[in-house]
Amino acid sequence: MQSISGNDMAKDFLGYLPELPDVMAQFIELTRQLNTTKTSYANILLSDQILSTRIFSYINLVLNTSKTDYLSINKGISLMGLHMFKNVVLAFSLYPAFEEAGCIELFKYSLSTAYYSKEIALQFKFINPHDAFLLGFLHDIGKLALKNKFKDEYKFTTHNVLDIEKQYTIEEELAKFNYCHSDLGEYICKTWNLPIVVTDAIRFHHYPLDAMLPQAASIIYLSDILAHKNMRITSEDMKIFQYMQLSKSDIMPYSMGQEKKLMPYFEILGI
């Protein structure tokens, strides 16, 4: 793939790159400190009224089985675990960036890919499932930059390979726009100070065997197949299945019941 410098991206996409939400930036900084508690994360979240309200709603919609007393955010963190809590906050906190770019369907698709990635990682122990969720959700974040800059000129499908709307390949993106979403995604996540394993997997998610950690990038690749509802397996797909020592039948069960996990997000966001 063509490699374009970060300086060029910073210059050409000034004002078009999605920014890391302030709450998540504070979460990342907190992660680097010793002796942090779930209360520390809850306090940061509470500084954003809209976001904290959405997370509070999610906790009580998904985790409150009694439906009598409301669960606090601290209790929610305890029940879902800190790592999953941070992933849920990331999804909700980045939603406005998708909304502003007019990419609601891309948000839904990214969320679906995140859950597929998590389930595959959880079952087959390739990488940490919470890291897999992060990779799945952010893998197409570069498309937001392309959509912000090129508006309706940049089009993509998000959920059905049979859609008649144009879907650019990496090569076509480079030819038409001089940038591709995977390189932009890598650059965006680097500016957010995410680990190199994350940024590398996002850059190579269309060519996972070229990645630093091929299994991480391959999980995104396989989750893409599920999220696109793609029943046709290409020769390139078969290379990834062979590398991962999986078959199509191994991952297809994860396509069942996926909507149930996504509906709380859609209900809370009204989408």
Side-chain angles (χ1 to χ4, degrees), residues 9-19 100 145 148-149 151:
M9 290 187 192
K11 179 180 65 176
D12 292 347
F13 283 83
L14 182 65
Y16 297 112
L17 298 174
E19 295 182 356
E100 185 177 346
N148 285 335
K149 183 174 176 66
K151 308 299 181 185

Side-chain angles (χ1 to χ4, degrees), residues 41-56:
Y41 288 94
N43 288 340
I44 290 173
L45 177 62
L46 289 170
S47 67
D48 186 321
Q49 184 176 354
I50 294 176
L51 181 58
S52 60
T53 299
R54 286 173 171 170
I55 300 301
F56 179 77

Side-chain angles (χ1 to χ4, degrees), residues 157-258:
T157 57
T158 55
H159 56 83
N160 191 331
V161 292
L162 300 179
D163 282 352
I164 60 173
E165 186 177 4
K166 174 67 178 177
Q167 175 171 274
Y168 294 105
T169 65
I170 293 291
E171 292 74 20
E172 288 172 335
E173 285 178 344
L174 287 169
K176 185 173 179 62
F177 304 107
N178 202 37
Y179 292 91
C180 67
H181 72 273
S182 53
D183 282 347
L184 281 163
E186 178 197 33
Y187 176 72
I188 290 165
C189 291
K190 279 183 176 179
T191 66
W192 293 354
N193 293 318
L194 296 183
I196 189 171
V197 171
V198 172
T199 60
D200 181 77
I202 287 173
R203 180 186 179 192
F204 290 105
H205 70 269
H206 284 281
Y207 303 96
L209 300 187
D210 294 334
M212 180 188 307
L213 186 61
Q215 287 182 330
S218 293
I219 284 179
I220 305 175
Y221 189 100
L222 297 178
S223 298
D224 248 338
I225 292 175
L226 293 175
H228 276 294
K229 306 185 189 318
N230 189 357
M231 304 302 292
R232 297 171 298 181
I233 303 300
T234 67
S235 58
E236 190 64 29
D237 298 339
M238 290 305 301
K239 293 178 185 177
I240 310 305
F241 278 113
Q242 184 176 13
Y243 172 78
M244 297 291 277
Q245 298 183 336
L246 296 174
S247 67
K248 179 182 174 182
S249 61
D250 289 325
I251 67 169
M252 286 309 295
Y254 300 112
S255 64
M256 306 299 291
Q258 181 77 346

Side-chain angles (χ1 to χ4, degrees), residues 25-242:
Q26 292 184 65
F27 276 11
I28 291 174
E29 184 59 34
L30 193 61
T31 302
R32 298 191 178 102
Q33 301 176 19
L34 299 176
N35 302 319
T36 57
T37 65
K38 62 179 181 291
T39 302
S40 302
Y41 288 94
N43 288 340
I44 290 173
L45 177 62
L46 289 170
S47 67
D48 186 321
Q49 184 176 354
I50 294 176
L51 181 58
S52 60
T53 299
R54 286 173 171 170
I55 300 301
F56 179 77
S57 298
Y58 178 89
I59 288 170
N60 282 279
L61 191 59
V62 174
L63 302 174
N64 192 348
T65 56
S66 68
K67 306 301 179 185
T68 52
D69 297 325
Y70 288 113
L71 298 177
S72 68
I73 289 177
N74 273 329
K75 184 63 176 178
I77 296 174
S78 297
L79 289 173
M80 76 172 70
L82 182 57
H83 291 296
M84 191 59 202
F85 167 76
K86 288 192 286 187
N87 283 336
V88 170
V89 172
L90 174 68
F92 276 108
S93 66
L94 274 175
Y95 172 73
F98 286 86
E99 184 179 36
E100 185 177 346
C103 295
I104 304 300
E105 290 303 314
L106 179 61
F107 173 83
K108 294 179 179 180
Y109 159 77
S110 298
L111 196 57
S112 182
T113 308
Y115 274 97
Y116 285 134
S117 298
K118 179 188 173 186
E119 291 299 325
I120 293 173
L122 186 64
Q123 177 66 30
F124 298 104
K125 316 296 183 188
F126 293 129
I127 62 173
N128 183 291
H130 301 297
D131 293 340
F133 183 102
L134 178 71
L135 290 173
F137 185 72
L138 293 179
H139 79 286
D140 272 351
I141 195 70
K143 288 184 177 181
L144 287 186
L146 287 166
K147 191 67 173 176
N148 285 335
K149 183 174 176 66
F150 297 105
K151 308 299 181 185
D152 290 341
E153 188 179 357
Y154 180 72
K155 298 183 179 183
F156 53 85
T157 57
T158 55
H159 56 83
N160 191 331
V161 292
L162 300 179
D163 282 352
I164 60 173
E165 186 177 4
K166 174 67 178 177
Q167 175 171 274
Y168 294 105
T169 65
I170 293 291
E171 292 74 20
E172 288 172 335
E173 285 178 344
L174 287 169
K176 185 173 179 62
F177 304 107
N178 202 37
Y179 292 91
C180 67
H181 72 273
S182 53
D183 282 347
L184 281 163
E186 178 197 33
Y187 176 72
I188 290 165
C189 291
K190 279 183 176 179
T191 66
W192 293 354
N193 293 318
L194 296 183
I196 189 171
V197 171
V198 172
T199 60
D200 181 77
I202 287 173
R203 180 186 179 192
F204 290 105
H205 70 269
H206 284 281
Y207 303 96
L209 300 187
D210 294 334
M212 180 188 307
L213 186 61
Q215 287 182 330
S218 293
I219 284 179
I220 305 175
Y221 189 100
L222 297 178
S223 298
D224 248 338
I225 292 175
L226 293 175
H228 276 294
K229 306 185 189 318
N230 189 357
M231 304 302 292
R232 297 171 298 181
I233 303 300
T234 67
S235 58
E236 190 64 29
D237 298 339
M238 290 305 301
K239 293 178 185 177
I240 310 305
F241 278 113
Q242 184 176 13

